[in-house]
């Protein structure tokens, strides 16, 4: 299945969370109705890249919510690439992870309650967001509101979240580059063993020549073949597990 073209148009809404209002972008599919997906940002914030992936999912038929998880830090957006990486790492270091997980659970519940959502609701995240989405899935499951599917692109926090793996009961898809220096293959194998220990509906895909953040369009990270293959696989997997 070929990648879909992005659609234009989004609205901004607020989600009630502990300590304030979580801003989030809402994107609707052409039909106005569909299953839901909460997209979890990269370490750089809600960038144009993250928005473009959300738009592509909406074009595919999903109601998409993109929470601005850095809202407690002023909702910054950092330039992607080597120049912006130190600032982005600093933001991630200041990010209140437990509060962010709680925000993610609230965003999942808020999307489920939208009248435009017709069907199951899943989570999708990139890098920082890939690990955050995994943790949100575990927390939401524990709270009795498990997501229906999870897609994690090279979740950077996953090596530190393996004690939560048995709480992620929904089907999940995980993407990793074989040349990822940040998450080496030995660590990926540990992640896979933990995630599949009690869940049969788990898919791990690996891409030759691809490093960390290979889907990000910045030349520092981007691997064109891996990005294209992973997105086609993501669309096909989502259409199977969250049919539109």
């Amino acid at each position: 299945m070929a990648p879909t073209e992005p659609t234009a148009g989004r609205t901004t809404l607020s989600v009630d969370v502990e300590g304030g209002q979580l801003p989030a972008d809402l994107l609707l599919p052409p039909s106005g109705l569909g299953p839901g997906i909460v997209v979890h940002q990269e370490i750089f914030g809600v960038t144009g890249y993250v928005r473009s992936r959300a738009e592509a999912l909406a074009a595919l038929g999903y109601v998409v919510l993109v929470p601005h998880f850095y809202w407690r830090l002023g909702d910054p957006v950092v330039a992607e690439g080597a120049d912006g990486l130190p600032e982005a790492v600093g933001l991630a270091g200041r990010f209140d992870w437990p509060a962010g997980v709680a925000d993610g659970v609230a965003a999942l519940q808020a999307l489920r309650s939208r009248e435009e959502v017709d069907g199951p609701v899943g989570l999708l995240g990139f890098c920082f967001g890939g690990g955050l989405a995994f943790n949100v899935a575990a927390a939401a499951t524990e709270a009795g509101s498990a997501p229906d599917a999870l897609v994690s692109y090279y979740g950077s926090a996953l090596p530190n979240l393996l004690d939560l793996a048995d709480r992620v009961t929904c089907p999940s898809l995980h993407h990793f580059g074989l040349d990822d220096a940040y998450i080496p293959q030995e660590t990926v194998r540990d992640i896979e063993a933990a995630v599949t220990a009690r869940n049969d509906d788990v898919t791990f895909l690996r891409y030759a020549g691809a490093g960390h953040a290979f889907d990000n369009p910045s030349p520092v990270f981007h691997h064109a073949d891996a990005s294209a293959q992973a997105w086609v696989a993501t669309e096909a997997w989502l259409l199977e597990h969250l049919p539109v």
Side-chain angles (χ1 to χ4, degrees), residues 26-29 33-40 57-58 61-66 107-108 110-114 116-124 147-151 237-238 241-244:
L26 179 70
L27 298 89
L28 299 181
L33 300 172
I37 297 178
V38 182
V39 172
H40 296 62
L57 292 169
Y62 295 100
V63 178
V64 183
L65 190 68
V66 187
L108 171 63
L111 183 58
R112 269 213 174 104
S113 70
R114 298 287 304 185
E116 300 94 342
V117 172
D118 179 18
V121 178
L123 309 176
L124 186 149
D148 297 291
L150 165 69
V151 178
W237 189 91
L238 285 172
H241 290 83
L242 302 176
V244 298

Side-chain angles (χ1 to χ4, degrees), residues 182-204:
Y182 188 78
I183 309 177
Q185 285 306 297
E186 180 179 357
T187 302
V188 174
R189 287 192 289 271
D190 291 340
I191 295 169
E192 184 173 13
V195 174
T196 59
R198 296 187 181 181
N199 190 342
D200 294 331
D201 197 347
V202 177
T203 301
F204 273 69

Side-chain angles (χ1 to χ4, degrees), residues 170-222:
C170 64
S172 63
L173 170 64
H174 301 263
H175 299 287
F176 289 98
L178 286 172
D179 290 351
D180 190 330
Y182 188 78
I183 309 177
Q185 285 306 297
E186 180 179 357
T187 302
V188 174
R189 287 192 289 271
D190 291 340
I191 295 169
E192 184 173 13
V195 174
T196 59
R198 296 187 181 181
N199 190 342
D200 294 331
D201 197 347
V202 177
T203 301
F204 273 69
L205 298 178
R206 298 168 171 84
Y207 303 90
H212 196 68
F214 63 76
D215 192 56
N216 187 297
S218 170
V220 175
F221 309 114
H222 193 60

Side-chain angles (χ1 to χ4, degrees), residues 135-160:
N135 203 151
V136 169
T141 300
E142 192 171 28
S145 58
D148 297 291
L150 165 69
V151 178
S152 175
Y153 274 72
Y154 32 78
S156 54
L158 283 177
N160 300 317

Side-chain angles (χ1 to χ4, degrees), residues 123-136:
L123 309 176
L124 186 149
F126 302 94
C127 190
F128 168 88
L132 184 59
F134 184 87
N135 203 151
V136 169

